[in-house]
Amino acid sequence: KTFVSDLGDHYQNKIQIGYKKDEIVSMTIMGVAPIPEDMQKSDVAELKEVYQEEADKANSEHGVNGQAGINTSIKIANDKQTYTNVMHVDFTQMKKEDFVKLLADQGEETNTTMLKYLKGKPQDLFTYFKDQGLKEDK
């Protein structure tokens, strides 16, 4: 299931939850942002390199790089108007407690509530996201 928070002006946050029966097994967090018009003339490989460098620097500052179970990447839209910063978390390789600590280190308002939902039934997490104002992407 995917949940979206539309922040306007081509900015969006998306959270994709992977689950099997009653267990959450993965989470993919995507931040979509616009590419300035003057940079849209660059080719996709160049744009990817620029935004990947920025993402790697930020991830390094927040202790994300090198964590087992976390993969990050940058995707450039075909029209080169937006890029997406993607973080995929595989909970078969990373403890949910460690992920929540990582979010807290990034200044996210995450705490025992998020951990409770990650360890609980997927449906409860979906309801929590909806209560936070995210819309289910169908």
Side-chain angles (χ1 to χ4, degrees):
K1 284 203 186 259
T2 302
F3 294 88
V4 179
S5 171
D6 200 339
L7 309 171
D9 219 19
H10 294 299
Y11 287 94
Q12 265 188 344
N13 286 331
K14 293 183 180 185
I15 301 173
Q16 203 168 44
I17 306 297
Y19 61 100
K20 290 181 184 165
K21 293 184 183 168
D22 282 346
E23 185 185 3
I24 295 166
V25 294
S26 68
M27 181 183 279
T28 304
I29 302 167
M30 296 164 273
V32 181
I35 294 174
E37 220 172 290
D38 61 326
M39 287 182 69
Q40 291 175 17
K41 294 174 184 80
S42 303
D43 67 20
V44 171
E46 272 180 277
L47 290 170
K48 194 171 184 175
E49 191 176 311
V50 167
Y51 288 108
Q52 187 67 57
E53 204 172 285
E54 279 179 27
D56 287 346
K57 187 175 179 222
N59 289 339
S60 178
E61 288 171 13
H62 295 299
V64 173
N65 292 353
Q67 290 278 352
I70 294 185
N71 293 313
T72 59
S73 63
I74 294 290
K75 293 189 180 4
I76 305 294
N78 290 339
D79 62 9
K80 297 193 278 187
Q81 291 188 356
T82 60
Y83 72 96
T84 305
N85 190 349
V86 181
M87 177 189 294
H88 178 76
V89 185
D90 180 346
F91 292 122
T92 63
Q93 296 178 21
M94 176 179 224
K95 288 183 182 168
K96 292 172 182 169
E97 292 87 349
D98 293 341
F99 175 66
V100 170
K101 276 187 213 152
L102 204 57
L103 286 180
D105 288 347
Q106 291 191 47
E108 297 288 329
E109 207 176 295
T110 308
N111 50 26
T112 50
T113 306
M114 182 55 121
L115 186 58
K116 178 181 90 175
Y117 287 115
L118 283 176
K119 287 185 155 192
K121 294 192 183 329
Q123 197 55 52
D124 294 338
L125 180 63
F126 305 156
T127 302
Y128 172 71
F129 283 153
K130 287 177 188 172
D131 290 347
Q132 299 298 313
L134 280 84
K135 303 214 179 329
E136 189 171 339
D137 196 15
K138 302 206 182 243

PDB file of all heavy atoms in Angstrom, residues 36-63:
ATOM      1  N   PRO A  36      14.734  22.568 -10.722  1.00  0.00           N
ATOM      2  CA  PRO A  36      14.683  23.936 -11.277  1.00  0.00           C
ATOM      3  C   PRO A  36      14.747  23.918 -12.809  1.00  0.00           C
ATOM      4  O   PRO A  36      15.436  23.084 -13.397  1.00  0.00           O
ATOM      5  CB  PRO A  36      15.919  24.612 -10.692  1.00  0.00           C
ATOM      6  CG  PRO A  36      16.259  23.808  -9.478  1.00  0.00           C
ATOM      7  CD  PRO A  36      15.816  22.397  -9.771  1.00  0.00           C
ATOM      8  N   GLU A  37      14.001  24.841 -13.416  1.00  0.00           N
ATOM      9  CA  GLU A  37      13.896  24.887 -14.878  1.00  0.00           C
ATOM     10  C   GLU A  37      15.249  24.929 -15.582  1.00  0.00           C
ATOM     11  O   GLU A  37      15.469  24.236 -16.568  1.00  0.00           O
ATOM     12  CB  GLU A  37      13.064  26.106 -15.293  1.00  0.00           C
ATOM     13  CG  GLU A  37      12.124  25.795 -16.435  1.00  0.00           C
ATOM     14  CD  GLU A  37      11.175  26.943 -16.714  1.00  0.00           C
ATOM     15  OE1 GLU A  37      10.283  27.191 -15.891  1.00  0.00           O
ATOM     16  OE2 GLU A  37      11.360  27.574 -17.771  1.00  0.00           O
ATOM     17  N   ASP A  38      16.179  25.724 -15.056  1.00  0.00           N
ATOM     18  CA  ASP A  38      17.493  25.839 -15.706  1.00  0.00           C
ATOM     19  C   ASP A  38      18.265  24.517 -15.668  1.00  0.00           C
ATOM     20  O   ASP A  38      19.120  24.263 -16.504  1.00  0.00           O
ATOM     21  CB  ASP A  38      18.315  26.985 -15.106  1.00  0.00           C
ATOM     22  CG  ASP A  38      18.598  26.807 -13.621  1.00  0.00           C
ATOM     23  OD1 ASP A  38      17.732  26.250 -12.907  1.00  0.00           O
ATOM     24  OD2 ASP A  38      19.679  27.233 -13.173  1.00  0.00           O
ATOM     25  N   MET A  39      17.968  23.658 -14.687  1.00  0.00           N
ATOM     26  CA  MET A  39      18.669  22.363 -14.603  1.00  0.00           C
ATOM     27  C   MET A  39      18.007  21.292 -15.470  1.00  0.00           C
ATOM     28  O   MET A  39      18.611  20.261 -15.748  1.00  0.00           O
ATOM     29  CB  MET A  39      18.725  21.889 -13.150  1.00  0.00           C
ATOM     30  CG  MET A  39      19.707  22.690 -12.300  1.00  0.00           C
ATOM     31  SD  MET A  39      19.800  22.062 -10.615  1.00  0.00           S
ATOM     32  CE  MET A  39      20.615  20.487 -10.868  1.00  0.00           C
ATOM     33  N   GLN A  40      16.774  21.537 -15.905  1.00  0.00           N
ATOM     34  CA  GLN A  40      16.055  20.540 -16.701  1.00  0.00           C
ATOM     35  C   GLN A  40      16.692  20.323 -18.072  1.00  0.00           C
ATOM     36  O   GLN A  40      16.391  19.366 -18.754  1.00  0.00           O
ATOM     37  CB  GLN A  40      14.578  20.948 -16.846  1.00  0.00           C
ATOM     38  CG  GLN A  40      13.817  20.865 -15.550  1.00  0.00           C
ATOM     39  CD  GLN A  40      12.389  21.376 -15.662  1.00  0.00           C
ATOM     40  OE1 GLN A  40      11.852  21.513 -16.753  1.00  0.00           O
ATOM     41  NE2 GLN A  40      11.779  21.671 -14.523  1.00  0.00           N
ATOM     42  N   LYS A  41      17.596  21.216 -18.456  1.00  0.00           N
ATOM     43  CA  LYS A  41      18.302  21.071 -19.736  1.00  0.00           C
ATOM     44  C   LYS A  41      19.384  19.989 -19.648  1.00  0.00           C
ATOM     45  O   LYS A  41      19.826  19.453 -20.655  1.00  0.00           O
ATOM     46  CB  LYS A  41      18.926  22.417 -20.139  1.00  0.00           C
ATOM     47  CG  LYS A  41      17.895  23.493 -20.438  1.00  0.00           C
ATOM     48  CD  LYS A  41      18.569  24.844 -20.676  1.00  0.00           C
ATOM     49  CE  LYS A  41      17.575  25.956 -20.875  1.00  0.00           C
ATOM     50  NZ  LYS A  41      17.015  26.479 -19.631  1.00  0.00           N
ATOM     51  N   SER A  42      19.827  19.693 -18.419  1.00  0.00           N
ATOM     52  CA  SER A  42      20.854  18.657 -18.218  1.00  0.00           C
ATOM     53  C   SER A  42      20.285  17.294 -18.594  1.00  0.00           C
ATOM     54  O   SER A  42      19.069  17.095 -18.581  1.00  0.00           O
ATOM     55  CB  SER A  42      21.272  18.614 -16.750  1.00  0.00           C
ATOM     56  OG  SER A  42      21.728  19.869 -16.331  1.00  0.00           O
ATOM     57  N   ASP A  43      21.196  16.348 -18.892  1.00  0.00           N
ATOM     58  CA  ASP A  43      20.667  15.018 -19.181  1.00  0.00           C
ATOM     59  C   ASP A  43      20.392  14.274 -17.870  1.00  0.00           C
ATOM     60  O   ASP A  43      20.836  14.667 -16.800  1.00  0.00           O
ATOM     61  CB  ASP A  43      21.562  14.234 -20.157  1.00  0.00           C
ATOM     62  CG  ASP A  43      22.923  13.858 -19.590  1.00  0.00           C
ATOM     63  OD1 ASP A  43      23.079  13.847 -18.364  1.00  0.00           O
ATOM     64  OD2 ASP A  43      23.824  13.558 -20.397  1.00  0.00           O
ATOM     65  N   VAL A  44      19.633  13.199 -17.987  1.00  0.00           N
ATOM     66  CA  VAL A  44      19.171  12.448 -16.819  1.00  0.00           C
ATOM     67  C   VAL A  44      20.335  11.971 -15.952  1.00  0.00           C
ATOM     68  O   VAL A  44      20.301  12.070 -14.730  1.00  0.00           O
ATOM     69  CB  VAL A  44      18.266  11.271 -17.260  1.00  0.00           C
ATOM     70  CG1 VAL A  44      17.956  10.358 -16.084  1.00  0.00           C
ATOM     71  CG2 VAL A  44      16.987  11.793 -17.880  1.00  0.00           C
ATOM     72  N   ALA A  45      21.395  11.474 -16.581  1.00  0.00           N
ATOM     73  CA  ALA A  45      22.550  10.967 -15.829  1.00  0.00           C
ATOM     74  C   ALA A  45      23.187  12.079 -14.994  1.00  0.00           C
ATOM     75  O   ALA A  45      23.546  11.859 -13.830  1.00  0.00           O
ATOM     76  CB  ALA A  45      23.576  10.366 -16.774  1.00  0.00           C
ATOM     77  N   GLU A  46      23.305  13.268 -15.576  1.00  0.00           N
ATOM     78  CA  GLU A  46      23.879  14.407 -14.843  1.00  0.00           C
ATOM     79  C   GLU A  46      22.995  14.782 -13.651  1.00  0.00           C
ATOM     80  O   GLU A  46      23.490  14.998 -12.543  1.00  0.00           O
ATOM     81  CB  GLU A  46      23.962  15.645 -15.751  1.00  0.00           C
ATOM     82  CG  GLU A  46      25.238  15.764 -16.555  1.00  0.00           C
ATOM     83  CD  GLU A  46      25.193  17.031 -17.397  1.00  0.00           C
ATOM     84  OE1 GLU A  46      24.586  16.989 -18.488  1.00  0.00           O
ATOM     85  OE2 GLU A  46      25.755  18.055 -16.952  1.00  0.00           O
ATOM     86  N   LEU A  47      21.700  14.873 -13.897  1.00  0.00           N
ATOM     87  CA  LEU A  47      20.760  15.234 -12.825  1.00  0.00           C
ATOM     88  C   LEU A  47      20.816  14.202 -11.699  1.00  0.00           C
ATOM     89  O   LEU A  47      20.859  14.556 -10.524  1.00  0.00           O
ATOM     90  CB  LEU A  47      19.330  15.319 -13.372  1.00  0.00           C
ATOM     91  CG  LEU A  47      19.044  16.493 -14.292  1.00  0.00           C
ATOM     92  CD1 LEU A  47      17.686  16.330 -14.968  1.00  0.00           C
ATOM     93  CD2 LEU A  47      19.099  17.809 -13.516  1.00  0.00           C
ATOM     94  N   LYS A  48      20.853  12.942 -12.080  1.00  0.00           N
ATOM     95  CA  LYS A  48      20.896  11.864 -11.086  1.00  0.00           C
ATOM     96  C   LYS A  48      22.147  11.999 -10.222  1.00  0.00           C
ATOM     97  O   LYS A  48      22.096  11.851  -9.005  1.00  0.00           O
ATOM     98  CB  LYS A  48      20.839  10.515 -11.797  1.00  0.00           C
ATOM     99  CG  LYS A  48      20.544   9.374 -10.887  1.00  0.00           C
ATOM    100  CD  LYS A  48      20.279   8.098 -11.668  1.00  0.00           C
ATOM    101  CE  LYS A  48      19.903   6.998 -10.719  1.00  0.00           C
ATOM    102  NZ  LYS A  48      19.514   5.774 -11.357  1.00  0.00           N
ATOM    103  N   GLU A  49      23.269  12.289 -10.871  1.00  0.00           N
ATOM    104  CA  GLU A  49      24.538  12.438 -10.164  1.00  0.00           C
ATOM    105  C   GLU A  49      24.476  13.601  -9.159  1.00  0.00           C
ATOM    106  O   GLU A  49      24.889  13.463  -8.012  1.00  0.00           O
ATOM    107  CB  GLU A  49      25.660  12.673 -11.179  1.00  0.00           C
ATOM    108  CG  GLU A  49      27.044  12.569 -10.578  1.00  0.00           C
ATOM    109  CD  GLU A  49      28.124  12.720 -11.651  1.00  0.00           C
ATOM    110  OE1 GLU A  49      28.033  12.039 -12.693  1.00  0.00           O
ATOM    111  OE2 GLU A  49      29.048  13.524 -11.422  1.00  0.00           O
ATOM    112  N   VAL A  50      23.943  14.745  -9.591  1.00  0.00           N
ATOM    113  CA  VAL A  50      23.844  15.931  -8.727  1.00  0.00           C
ATOM    114  C   VAL A  50      22.982  15.629  -7.492  1.00  0.00           C
ATOM    115  O   VAL A  50      23.386  15.885  -6.354  1.00  0.00           O
ATOM    116  CB  VAL A  50      23.243  17.133  -9.505  1.00  0.00           C
ATOM    117  CG1 VAL A  50      22.833  18.258  -8.571  1.00  0.00           C
ATOM    118  CG2 VAL A  50      24.235  17.639 -10.535  1.00  0.00           C
ATOM    119  N   TYR A  51      21.796  15.072  -7.730  1.00  0.00           N
ATOM    120  CA  TYR A  51      20.888  14.824  -6.610  1.00  0.00           C
ATOM    121  C   TYR A  51      21.344  13.651  -5.746  1.00  0.00           C
ATOM    122  O   TYR A  51      21.102  13.637  -4.543  1.00  0.00           O
ATOM    123  CB  TYR A  51      19.447  14.644  -7.112  1.00  0.00           C
ATOM    124  CG  TYR A  51      18.874  15.967  -7.570  1.00  0.00           C
ATOM    125  CD1 TYR A  51      18.673  16.241  -8.913  1.00  0.00           C
ATOM    126  CD2 TYR A  51      18.582  16.969  -6.649  1.00  0.00           C
ATOM    127  CE1 TYR A  51      18.171  17.470  -9.333  1.00  0.00           C
ATOM    128  CE2 TYR A  51      18.083  18.200  -7.060  1.00  0.00           C
ATOM    129  CZ  TYR A  51      17.885  18.442  -8.397  1.00  0.00           C
ATOM    130  OH  TYR A  51      17.401  19.657  -8.799  1.00  0.00           O
ATOM    131  N   GLN A  52      22.023  12.670  -6.344  1.00  0.00           N
ATOM    132  CA  GLN A  52      22.547  11.543  -5.569  1.00  0.00           C
ATOM    133  C   GLN A  52      23.628  12.036  -4.605  1.00  0.00           C
ATOM    134  O   GLN A  52      23.687  11.621  -3.457  1.00  0.00           O
ATOM    135  CB  GLN A  52      23.103  10.451  -6.496  1.00  0.00           C
ATOM    136  CG  GLN A  52      23.501   9.178  -5.774  1.00  0.00           C
ATOM    137  CD  GLN A  52      22.312   8.444  -5.188  1.00  0.00           C
ATOM    138  OE1 GLN A  52      21.389   8.090  -5.894  1.00  0.00           O
ATOM    139  NE2 GLN A  52      22.331   8.217  -3.883  1.00  0.00           N
ATOM    140  N   GLU A  53      24.473  12.945  -5.103  1.00  0.00           N
ATOM    141  CA  GLU A  53      25.532  13.513  -4.272  1.00  0.00           C
ATOM    142  C   GLU A  53      24.930  14.240  -3.060  1.00  0.00           C
ATOM    143  O   GLU A  53      25.380  14.065  -1.931  1.00  0.00           O
ATOM    144  CB  GLU A  53      26.350  14.497  -5.121  1.00  0.00           C
ATOM    145  CG  GLU A  53      27.762  14.723  -4.627  1.00  0.00           C
ATOM    146  CD  GLU A  53      28.560  15.545  -5.639  1.00  0.00           C
ATOM    147  OE1 GLU A  53      28.956  14.974  -6.672  1.00  0.00           O
ATOM    148  OE2 GLU A  53      28.764  16.738  -5.360  1.00  0.00           O
ATOM    149  N   GLU A  54      23.894  15.047  -3.303  1.00  0.00           N
ATOM    150  CA  GLU A  54      23.207  15.763  -2.213  1.00  0.00           C
ATOM    151  C   GLU A  54      22.607  14.777  -1.211  1.00  0.00           C
ATOM    152  O   GLU A  54      22.734  14.945  -0.005  1.00  0.00           O
ATOM    153  CB  GLU A  54      22.066  16.630  -2.769  1.00  0.00           C
ATOM    154  CG  GLU A  54      22.507  17.941  -3.340  1.00  0.00           C
ATOM    155  CD  GLU A  54      21.326  18.744  -3.890  1.00  0.00           C
ATOM    156  OE1 GLU A  54      20.178  18.569  -3.404  1.00  0.00           O
ATOM    157  OE2 GLU A  54      21.557  19.549  -4.808  1.00  0.00           O
ATOM    158  N   ALA A  55      21.948  13.748  -1.732  1.00  0.00           N
ATOM    159  CA  ALA A  55      21.300  12.754  -0.870  1.00  0.00           C
ATOM    160  C   ALA A  55      22.332  11.987  -0.052  1.00  0.00           C
ATOM    161  O   ALA A  55      22.138  11.756   1.146  1.00  0.00           O
ATOM    162  CB  ALA A  55      20.468  11.793  -1.713  1.00  0.00           C
ATOM    163  N   ASP A  56      23.447  11.600  -0.691  1.00  0.00           N
ATOM    164  CA  ASP A  56      24.495  10.860   0.024  1.00  0.00           C
ATOM    165  C   ASP A  56      25.053  11.695   1.167  1.00  0.00           C
ATOM    166  O   ASP A  56      25.311  11.177   2.254  1.00  0.00           O
ATOM    167  CB  ASP A  56      25.630  10.464  -0.927  1.00  0.00           C
ATOM    168  CG  ASP A  56      25.223   9.340  -1.872  1.00  0.00           C
ATOM    169  OD1 ASP A  56      24.178   8.697  -1.633  1.00  0.00           O
ATOM    170  OD2 ASP A  56      25.957   9.115  -2.860  1.00  0.00           O
ATOM    171  N   LYS A  57      25.239  12.981   0.921  1.00  0.00           N
ATOM    172  CA  LYS A  57      25.772  13.869   1.956  1.00  0.00           C
ATOM    173  C   LYS A  57      24.797  13.954   3.138  1.00  0.00           C
ATOM    174  O   LYS A  57      25.191  13.791   4.292  1.00  0.00           O
ATOM    175  CB  LYS A  57      26.018  15.261   1.359  1.00  0.00           C
ATOM    176  CG  LYS A  57      26.725  16.208   2.298  1.00  0.00           C
ATOM    177  CD  LYS A  57      27.049  17.534   1.632  1.00  0.00           C
ATOM    178  CE  LYS A  57      27.732  18.446   2.626  1.00  0.00           C
ATOM    179  NZ  LYS A  57      27.269  19.805   2.557  1.00  0.00           N
ATOM    180  N   ALA A  58      23.521  14.164   2.841  1.00  0.00           N
ATOM    181  CA  ALA A  58      22.505  14.245   3.901  1.00  0.00           C
ATOM    182  C   ALA A  58      22.384  12.913   4.644  1.00  0.00           C
ATOM    183  O   ALA A  58      22.326  12.886   5.878  1.00  0.00           O
ATOM    184  CB  ALA A  58      21.151  14.640   3.310  1.00  0.00           C
ATOM    185  N   ASN A  59      22.377  11.806   3.895  1.00  0.00           N
ATOM    186  CA  ASN A  59      22.271  10.483   4.526  1.00  0.00           C
ATOM    187  C   ASN A  59      23.469  10.198   5.411  1.00  0.00           C
ATOM    188  O   ASN A  59      23.338   9.600   6.479  1.00  0.00           O
ATOM    189  CB  ASN A  59      22.132   9.388   3.461  1.00  0.00           C
ATOM    190  CG  ASN A  59      20.784   9.432   2.785  1.00  0.00           C
ATOM    191  OD1 ASN A  59      19.823   9.974   3.319  1.00  0.00           O
ATOM    192  ND2 ASN A  59      20.710   8.873   1.596  1.00  0.00           N
ATOM    193  N   SER A  60      24.642  10.642   4.989  1.00  0.00           N
ATOM    194  CA  SER A  60      25.857  10.465   5.774  1.00  0.00           C
ATOM    195  C   SER A  60      25.755  11.231   7.092  1.00  0.00           C
ATOM    196  O   SER A  60      26.085  10.709   8.156  1.00  0.00           O
ATOM    197  CB  SER A  60      27.058  10.931   4.960  1.00  0.00           C
ATOM    198  OG  SER A  60      28.227  10.819   5.722  1.00  0.00           O
ATOM    199  N   GLU A  61      25.274  12.467   7.001  1.00  0.00           N
ATOM    200  CA  GLU A  61      25.113  13.296   8.215  1.00  0.00           C
ATOM    201  C   GLU A  61      24.145  12.669   9.206  1.00  0.00           C
ATOM    202  O   GLU A  61      24.279  12.848  10.401  1.00  0.00           O
ATOM    203  CB  GLU A  61      24.616  14.699   7.832  1.00  0.00           C
ATOM    204  CG  GLU A  61      25.668  15.547   7.155  1.00  0.00           C
ATOM    205  CD  GLU A  61      25.110  16.844   6.578  1.00  0.00           C
ATOM    206  OE1 GLU A  61      23.964  17.219   6.900  1.00  0.00           O
ATOM    207  OE2 GLU A  61      25.837  17.489   5.803  1.00  0.00           O
ATOM    208  N   HIS A  62      23.152  11.936   8.689  1.00  0.00           N
ATOM    209  CA  HIS A  62      22.132  11.348   9.559  1.00  0.00           C
ATOM    210  C   HIS A  62      22.398   9.881   9.892  1.00  0.00           C
ATOM    211  O   HIS A  62      21.545   9.222  10.481  1.00  0.00           O
ATOM    212  CB  HIS A  62      20.749  11.487   8.919  1.00  0.00           C
ATOM    213  CG  HIS A  62      20.301  12.910   8.786  1.00  0.00           C
ATOM    214  ND1 HIS A  62      20.129  13.747   9.862  1.00  0.00           N
ATOM    215  CD2 HIS A  62      20.014  13.646   7.698  1.00  0.00           C
ATOM    216  CE1 HIS A  62      19.742  14.935   9.430  1.00  0.00           C
ATOM    217  NE2 HIS A  62      19.674  14.905   8.119  1.00  0.00           N
ATOM    218  N   GLY A  63      23.562   9.375   9.489  1.00  0.00           N
ATOM    219  CA  GLY A  63      23.928   8.001   9.846  1.00  0.00           C
ATOM    220  C   GLY A  63      23.193   6.931   9.074  1.00  0.00           C
ATOM    221  O   GLY A  63      23.119   5.788   9.505  1.00  0.00           O
TER     222      GLY A  63
END
